């Protein structure tokens, strides 16, 4: 009797979880990039089936969790479902959307640098089969000829203004660029998604 009611409860939990994993809220970054120079203008928006509960953008920069628009313990300015860094400079950290009931989107890493070059690389996961172009952007404007690295290995034999990848699952990993004149960019992780797996980006802790 007891085991069957536990099994029933578990069954209900599993059903609830599988229903709720479909909520698929994601954090979109505009422009869709992971690396920025200091004082860049960036907006972060919670997108998808937000429901009626409140959503906010959270971050962790290594000294605890902060909320968008929360004054002293916060950052940015929250408007609707967007967090705007117009009066506040972006800072390197992990950012995500959080619903009032505890739902959480996938995390996005943002890296802010005051060095000479950054890597132009999308913040959102890219689909297999699509093309992604990476560039090494100069603080002074324009693109530097650079060597591009993937998981510690040099991609291509010479320095290039850009590289375009027709994305396969095996292209997921850490990228950076290196120039003779301006040094190296920070590293960022390119996430790759298959064609049909986009229902796992939101989990509600229920059981
Ligand atoms: C807030 O967002 C709304 C619509 O999304 C926009 O019309 C408005 O100008 C924004 N307000 C500020 C202060 O940015
Ligand atoms: C964010 O960066 C940290 C540290 O480099 C890394 O461990 C983590 O996997 C990254 N997360 C994403 C979603 O890229
Ligand atoms: C890549 O750089 C070359 C010059 O080196 C340029 O001709 C080409 O248009 C660039 N491709 C993209 C996608 O920006």
């Amino acid at each position: 009797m007891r085991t069957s009611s536990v099994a029933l409860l578990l069954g209900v939990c599993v059903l609830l979880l599988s229903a709720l994993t479909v909520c698929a809220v994601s954090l979109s970054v505009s422009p869709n990039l992971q690396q920025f120079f200091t004082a860049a203008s960036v907006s972060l928006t919670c997108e998808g089936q937000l429901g009626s509960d409140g959503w906010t953008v959270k971050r962790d920069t290594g000294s605890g969790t902060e909320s968008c628009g929360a004054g002293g313990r916060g950052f940015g300015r929250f408007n609707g479902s967007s967090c705007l860094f117009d009066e506040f400079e972006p800072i390197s950290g992990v950012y995500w959307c959080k619903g009032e009931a505890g739902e959480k989107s996938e995390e996005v890493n943002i890296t802010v640098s005051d060095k000479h070059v950054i890597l132009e690389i999308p913040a959102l996961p890219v689909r297999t089969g699509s093309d992604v172009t990476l560039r090494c952007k100069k603080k002074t404007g324009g693109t530097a000829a650079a060597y591009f690295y993937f998981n510690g290995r040099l991609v291509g034999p010479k320095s290039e203004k850009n590289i375009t990848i027709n994305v396969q699952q095996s292209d997921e990993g850490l990228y950076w660029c290196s120039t003779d004149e301006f040094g190296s960019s920070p590293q960022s992780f390119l996430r790759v998604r298959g064609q049909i797996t986009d229902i796992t980006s939101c989990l509600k802790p229920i059981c």
Side-chain angles (χ1 to χ4, degrees):
M1 184 61 202
R2 169 163 275 185
T3 41
S4 72
S5 56
V6 167
L8 185 66
L9 210 79
L10 274 175
V12 171
C13 274
V14 169
L15 277 179
L16 274 173
L17 272 176
S18 51
L20 286 161
T21 50
V22 184
C23 71
V25 167
S26 60
L27 176 63
S28 92
V29 181
S30 179
N32 180 15
L33 298 170
Q34 290 191 52
Q35 299 191 6
F36 298 95
F37 291 116
T38 45
S41 178
V42 184
S43 72
L44 305 170
T45 305
C46 299
E47 282 181 346
Q49 295 168 20
L50 297 176
S52 53
D53 290 342
W55 284 81
T56 193
V57 179
K58 299 264 187 183
R59 79 173 180 195
D60 190 339
T61 58
S63 52
T65 302
E66 300 168 300
S67 301
C68 184
R73 281 294 301 155
F75 63 95
R77 181 166 65 88
F78 205 62
N79 180 19
S81 56
S82 294
C83 185
L84 310 171
F85 286 98
D86 39 11
E87 299 150 36
F88 304 82
E89 290 188 351
I91 297 179
S92 298
V94 179
Y95 291 75
W96 66 93
C97 291
K98 183 121 193 271
E100 259 165 19
E103 317 92 308
K104 196 179 169 214
S105 71
E106 282 188 24
E107 295 175 342
V108 174
N109 273 343
I110 290 181
T111 303
V112 180
S113 172
D114 60 359
K115 299 242 180 70
H116 298 296
V117 288
I118 55 173
L119 180 67
E120 188 175 290
I121 183 170
L124 296 181
V126 291
R127 298 224 165 265
T128 52
S130 63
D131 283 343
V132 167
T133 299
L134 306 181
R135 297 182 183 83
C136 209
K137 294 205 298 186
K138 290 189 279 187
K139 194 177 192 173
T140 51
T143 303
Y147 298 95
F148 292 86
Y149 286 85
F150 169 58
N151 285 345
R153 293 193 319 270
L154 187 59
V155 181
K158 57 180 173 38
S159 71
E160 313 259 13
K161 285 276 195 179
N162 58 62
I163 54 166
T164 296
I165 304 162
N166 182 254
V167 176
Q168 306 303 316
Q169 192 62 48
S170 57
D171 294 319
E172 185 166 271
L174 269 184
Y175 289 83
W176 70 95
C177 60
S178 171
T179 68
D180 292 333
E181 200 178 344
F182 307 104
S184 297
S185 73
Q187 305 186 0
S188 283
F189 194 86
L190 182 74
R191 288 180 294 156
V192 174
R193 288 287 170 274
Q195 298 294 342
I196 45 171
T197 55
D198 47 0
I199 54 166
T200 53
S201 49
C202 182
L203 284 167
K204 202 166 187 168
I206 276 215
C207 305

